[in-house]
Amino acid sequence: MNELVQLTKEKEIAIITINNPPVNALSPGVAQGISDAIASIENDKQVKAAVLIGAGRTFVAGADIKEFGKMTSGKAQRGAGLLPLLLSIEDCRVPVVVAIHGTAFGGGLELAMACHYRVASPTAQVGQPEVKLGIIPGAAGTQRLPRLAGVAKAVEMCAGGNPVGADVALELGIVDRLIHGDLLEGAVAFAREIEDKPIAKTRDRTAKLGTSAQNAPIFALARDTTRKKQRGLKAPLAAIDAVEAATTLPFDEGCKVEQKLFTECLFSDQSRSLIHVFFGEREVAKIPDIPKDTPLLPVQTAAVVGAGTMGGGIAMVFANAGVPVLLKDADQPALDRGLSTIQKNYANSVQRGRFSQSFVDERLKLIRPTLSYDDIAGVDMVVEAVFEGMALKKQVFSELDRVCQPRAILASNTSTLNVDEIASATGRPQSVIGTHFFSPANVMRLLEIVRGKQTGKDVIATCLQLAKKLGKVGVLVGNCRGFVGNRMFHPYRREAQFLVEEGASVEAVDNALYEFGMAMGPLATGDLAGLDVGWRIRKEYRHLEQPGIRQPIAEDRLCEMGRYGQKTSAGWYKYDANRRAVPDLEVANLIRAWAAEAGIAQHEPSGDEIVERCIYALVNEGARILEEGFALRAVDIDIIYINGYGFPAYRGGPMWYEDTIGLGKVYDRIREFNAQYGAHWKPAPLLRQLAEEGRTLADFGVERAAADYI
Ligand code: 3H9
């Protein structure tokens, strides 16, 4: 047919093979190839049935996402040309059996559902993940899925975007049979069984579409859950509307509704941002001076030193990925406490239905406690997660240097300290790296991988790959104070405090940023993390503060009063017995008094001002980090902020968001803030430079030579 789709025959069975690595995306060439193959089968009277299969590691992972940027609205309205192709398969003279392995996602599942029968490998997954890209299925997925799987499941899959495994797909009726053993062989045998058994086209089936009385509560509940769980996202609600259309309109009319909603979503800022995030999450693993074929070190076994909250969480991360892990602490009570927290966390996961009891039992067996450094001599990787203090860290690393096998990776979970100084406690700085997990480590997806001056390329490549194995997004960052995430978080939270000191209420600041889409407001986040943490760091680094730069006062004073946040039931807010935040009038009065004493001019900042000042503070510091080379590309910062700091993915991350507002506009606003609020708003030189050149942050840095990377 063409180089992307081949048509062969095994006697009376035609075999259409899609061969478009790496994931058999439905690019225009693939669609054309399938269309040609179907036309040829129509004309070949010897053919009694056909099998459609994917070559390589997967069936079809969806439409080619790279094509979306090139799409015009006319093309989008025709389902990128896929709709007519799917109708022609469904109308084919002979039954078409699709054989699924790997993933049938998005357009891949839509293609499969237009076939007459579906068989799958037991490990296959099927899903409509389009909402994760800010769109909805655009080739009748919202119309055919409810006809196969029923309305409730179709709503869940199209609006939630999560796939189901082959066994569930079989139960739901999406798949007709699982093939154990060779998939093609099994599919051909299946095709022979059904070659003279006509079956209703999916689009003509209505048995599972339910009645309006049955469906009304399903849609109401789905909309309610979506508004809560996918706050701010437009596509999931559009997906529900489209599935609803399948239940009220004939197939063709339902498809028209789907097309309209698909087009609206595709040309939205949310979709552009989420597609940026999709490619960004893959881009961050590509490091210019670390070739793809860099030899990797084995990580079959691991150890975590320090059984506190972070250490325990990190041990769970390894165990969850099936890596046996030793948990080391200095004394038995600390170790016991750590293990019991791990057990409690796992028990909660079972209670919430996240893990099964048998999964948890297996994971717990992988975590072995120890008090002795000598026990960890043979492991492939150690993550140090002891209390944040340089002297202690160095002591741990000199012990690790003494006991660990020569090729072991020695990683520190430090969130602030200098990785090179930590490495200097060993005779093998090339093996030392920072792996900064985020709390709770077993939940948060971000892993900042901190490159020291002498960290080996094999160690970096291994950690980037390991991140994926651990279910994390690993982002390589340079070794500066606070690395990328926390360094930017500092001015962001500082600005939130300034706003409060200038007259905004604590709730107004948090609400404005929550409404913007942040998972939590900055002040509530401080209360959750513990205000004393920042207070301790500020005291330690006070000597580094530049004279003449305004410093916030309120948070230090709250700490002096013992108000550390949730853990003391009081911080910026009061907390009730259920740890629910309650606005505290006492705090409001204290802040007014402190501001008057410090002579801070009062006004009532609007929601827009709150958002601009906090988010542009992130952008300004991000631009400095980029210019100094501590982050490789703007997208690296975006991925850090989305996965570690609750920045809304549908806004693409702070740097992408800035580019969507317009760099010139943001730069001008920062200059205004600089004039109005003081020297801490000095614009990053890179912003000035790019504004003058009319370029964007995304343009900058991609091509920067690795040698510049600090
Ligand atoms: C859709 O189908 C809309 C329809 O309703 C039709 C409308 C008309 N396109 O993730 P990996 C690339 S929307 C283009 O590292 P894994 C990816 O960028 C689509 N490229 O592998 C990467 O490139 P590189 C709905 C794609 O094994 C390489 O393939 N489908 C696509 O960890 C390997 O990817 C989805 O949303 C694509 N569709 O995971 C599924 N998919 O090597 C999106 C991947 O240059 N894909 N690439 O960095 C996935 O979820 C994962 O890629 C998958 C494999 C699970 C399939």
Side-chain angles (χ1 to χ4, degrees):
M1 297 295 99
N2 57 31
E3 72 283 5
L4 301 173
V5 179
Q6 285 91 45
L7 178 63
T8 52
K9 274 204 304 191
E10 261 191 39
K11 297 194 186 137
E12 78 289 10
I13 308 295
I15 300 168
I16 308 168
T17 308
I18 303 169
N19 194 353
N20 184 22
V23 295
N24 287 328
L26 278 175
S27 60
V30 171
Q32 187 58 52
I34 299 173
S35 173
D36 293 347
I38 293 293
S40 165
I41 289 166
E42 293 283 14
N43 291 328
D44 184 341
K45 296 296 175 240
Q46 278 180 335
V47 173
K48 298 235 174 90
V51 168
L52 174 65
I53 193 165
R57 61 168 148 137
T58 183
F59 181 63
V60 173
D64 188 341
I65 302 166
K66 289 192 192 91
E67 292 289 319
F68 289 164
K70 304 177 204 157
M71 234 181 242
T72 58
S73 77
K75 192 164 179 201
Q77 269 162 16
R78 292 188 301 279
L82 289 179
L83 274 176
L85 169 68
L86 303 194
L87 291 176
S88 75
I89 295 173
E90 216 169 25
D91 290 339
C92 186
R93 176 181 66 75
V94 299
V96 181
V97 178
V98 65
I100 303 168
H101 72 297
T103 51
F105 280 179
L109 179 56
E110 291 171 307
L111 172 64
M113 290 191 295
C115 296
H116 304 94
Y117 294 93
R118 284 152 293 281
V119 299
S121 297
T123 53
Q125 291 195 310
V126 303
Q128 299 284 176
E130 286 88 344
V131 289
K132 298 194 176 178
L133 301 170
I135 56 174
I136 68 165
T142 60
Q143 307 303 299
R144 285 197 179 89
L145 191 54
R147 286 170 158 83
L148 289 179
V151 175
K153 201 66 200 177
V155 167
E156 187 188 314
M157 288 176 68
C158 292
N162 295 321
V164 297
D167 48 347
V168 177
L170 180 70
E171 259 170 54
L172 291 171
I174 302 172
V175 162
D176 301 298
R177 185 180 293 176
L178 299 190
I179 305 282
H180 300 267
D182 187 87
L183 180 63
L184 180 59
E185 232 171 70
V188 169
F190 183 88
R192 293 214 161 94
E193 269 177 50
I194 54 83
E195 64 185 30
D196 49 8
K197 291 196 185 113
I199 186 167
K201 296 167 188 170
T202 309
R203 69 176 192 258
D204 292 338
R205 302 190 204 174
T206 52
K208 290 191 176 177
L209 287 181
T211 63
S212 59
Q214 286 164 333
N215 292 334
I218 296 174
F219 293 121
L221 179 67
R223 288 190 172 102
D224 199 39
T225 314
T226 298
R227 285 196 182 98
K228 284 189 201 127
K229 290 205 171 153
Q230 292 157 286
R231 186 170 58 91
L233 282 169
K234 294 186 182 136
L237 291 168
I240 298 171
D241 291 349
V243 176
E244 190 170 33
T247 66
T248 55
L249 297 170
F251 180 81
D252 291 350
E253 296 300 311
C255 285
K256 283 187 194 147
V257 171
E258 184 195 77
Q259 285 314 294
K260 185 170 171 290
L261 293 165
F262 169 75
T263 310
E264 279 167 18
C265 289
L266 183 64
F267 296 108
S268 69
D269 282 346
Q270 290 201 350
S271 163
R272 275 186 279 270
S273 299
L274 287 164
I275 289 174
H276 159 74
V277 174
F278 175 85
F279 286 116
E281 286 193 353
R282 283 142 185 93
E283 184 77 15
V284 293
K286 295 169 189 155
I287 312 300
D289 71 328
I290 301 185
K292 233 177 156 182
D293 55 1
T294 303
L296 300 178
L297 298 161
V299 184
Q300 308 293 342
T301 53
V304 175
V305 179
T309 313
M310 277 317 279
I314 297 167
M316 289 171 76
V317 171
F318 278 105
N320 290 347
V323 179
V325 58
L326 282 155
L327 185 61
K328 148 97 182 72
D329 211 311
D331 58 64
Q332 195 61 46
L335 208 48
D336 291 343
R337 265 198 311 276
L339 281 171
S340 103
T341 308
I342 290 174
Q343 276 155 356
K344 229 184 294 160
N345 286 340
Y346 272 132
N348 282 342
S349 299
V350 173
Q351 217 170 22
R352 275 185 274 116
R354 189 167 166 234
F355 293 144
S356 68
Q357 188 59 51
S358 61
F359 177 89
V360 164
D361 292 343
E362 287 304 311
R363 305 305 120 180
L364 280 169
K365 274 190 224 149
L366 292 174
I367 303 175
R368 273 204 307 126
T370 178
L371 292 172
S372 157
Y373 273 112
D374 293 329
D375 281 353
I376 65 179
V379 301
D380 297 322
M381 177 168 183
V382 186
V383 181
E384 161 279 307
V386 300
F387 195 70
E388 196 78 344
M390 185 53 87
L392 179 60
K393 301 252 179 204
K394 280 177 141 177
Q395 194 190 322
V396 171
F397 272 78
S398 85
E399 282 295 329
L400 296 178
D401 192 29
R402 181 180 66 78
V403 299
C404 288
Q405 55 152 320
R407 61 152 202 232
I409 294 174
L410 308 183
S412 171
N413 181 50
T414 180
S415 55
T416 44
L417 299 174
N418 185 331
V419 171
D420 290 328
E421 196 178 337
I422 295 173
S424 73
T426 74
R428 42 171 133 169
Q430 71 282 1
S431 301
V432 177
I433 194 164
T435 49
H436 178 205
F437 288 83
F438 285 69
S439 186
N442 53 318
V443 176
M444 298 294 285
R445 275 186 87 215
L446 178 62
L447 180 66
E448 270 188 330
I449 300 174
V450 189
R451 181 180 197 163
K453 272 207 176 69
Q454 298 185 60
T455 308
K457 290 185 181 180
D458 53 351
V459 172
I460 296 169
T462 304
C463 286
L464 282 164
Q465 211 233 15
L466 178 72
K468 204 170 170 187
K469 180 171 172 186
L470 299 180
K472 307 283 171 203
V473 186
V475 185
L476 190 65
V477 299
N479 181 26
C480 59
R481 183 145 64 89
F483 312 127
V484 170
N486 283 347
R487 178 170 155 184
M488 287 168 64
F489 208 49
H490 172 67
Y492 166 76
R493 288 204 66 253
R494 181 179 65 186
E495 205 57 31
Q497 293 175 63
F498 287 159
L499 283 155
V500 170
E501 290 171 9
E502 288 164 25
S505 70
V506 170
E507 305 83 79
V509 170
D510 275 350
N511 282 343
L513 287 149
Y514 181 78
E515 288 303 322
F516 172 79
M518 299 297 291
M520 253 181 138
L523 304 168
T525 307
D527 275 359
L528 177 68
L531 300 182
D532 53 322
V533 181
W535 186 39
R536 212 175 327 110
I537 296 170
R538 280 194 296 281
K539 280 195 281 193
E540 199 172 320
Y541 289 112
R542 193 130 285 163
H543 62 285
L544 297 178
E545 276 167 15
Q546 276 175 276
I549 298 283
R550 177 179 168 190
Q551 297 299 333
I553 45 178
E555 200 158 281
D556 284 356
R557 299 220 176 145
L558 290 172
C559 286
E560 282 159 20
M561 296 169 65
R563 297 185 69 120
Y564 294 166
Q566 288 197 17
K567 60 176 130 178
T568 57
S569 299
W572 288 102
Y573 296 87
K574 280 190 294 201
Y575 291 87
D576 65 16
N578 298 319
R579 288 208 163 190
R580 239 196 331 253
V582 183
D584 192 342
L585 195 61
E586 188 194 342
V587 171
N589 290 335
L590 281 169
I591 293 170
R592 294 288 72 80
W594 295 333
E597 186 191 304
I600 298 170
Q602 298 291 294
H603 72 297
E604 201 177 316
S606 67
D608 285 349
E609 180 183 339
I610 293 169
V611 169
E612 282 188 331
R613 283 177 58 184
C614 291
I615 300 297
Y616 295 175
L618 277 181
V619 170
N620 205 26
E621 193 62 27
R624 283 204 178 88
I625 289 173
L626 203 53
E627 186 169 21
E628 291 164 14
F630 292 107
L632 204 45
R633 298 151 288 222
V635 69
D636 293 49
I637 297 177
D638 289 335
I639 300 305
I640 287 175
Y641 258 76
I642 288 165
N643 290 290
Y645 294 84
F647 197 96
Y650 62 79
R651 294 197 192 269
M655 312 315 265
W656 173 265
Y657 174 70
E658 177 280 333
D659 279 350
T660 59
I661 299 290
L663 190 138
K665 259 196 197 161
V666 174
Y667 172 63
D668 287 345
R669 203 72 182 114
I670 289 177
R671 284 201 308 172
E672 283 167 31
F673 292 153
N674 189 199
Q676 203 173 343
Y677 298 113
H680 68 281
W681 270 110
K682 193 164 178 250
L686 179 64
L687 285 183
R688 193 191 59 230
Q689 182 200 325
L690 294 176
E692 284 167 5
E693 292 169 358
R695 295 169 70 210
T696 65
L697 284 170
D699 295 339
F700 178 81
V702 179
E703 70 289 342
R704 185 169 39 200
D708 286 342
Y709 188 61
I710 302 171

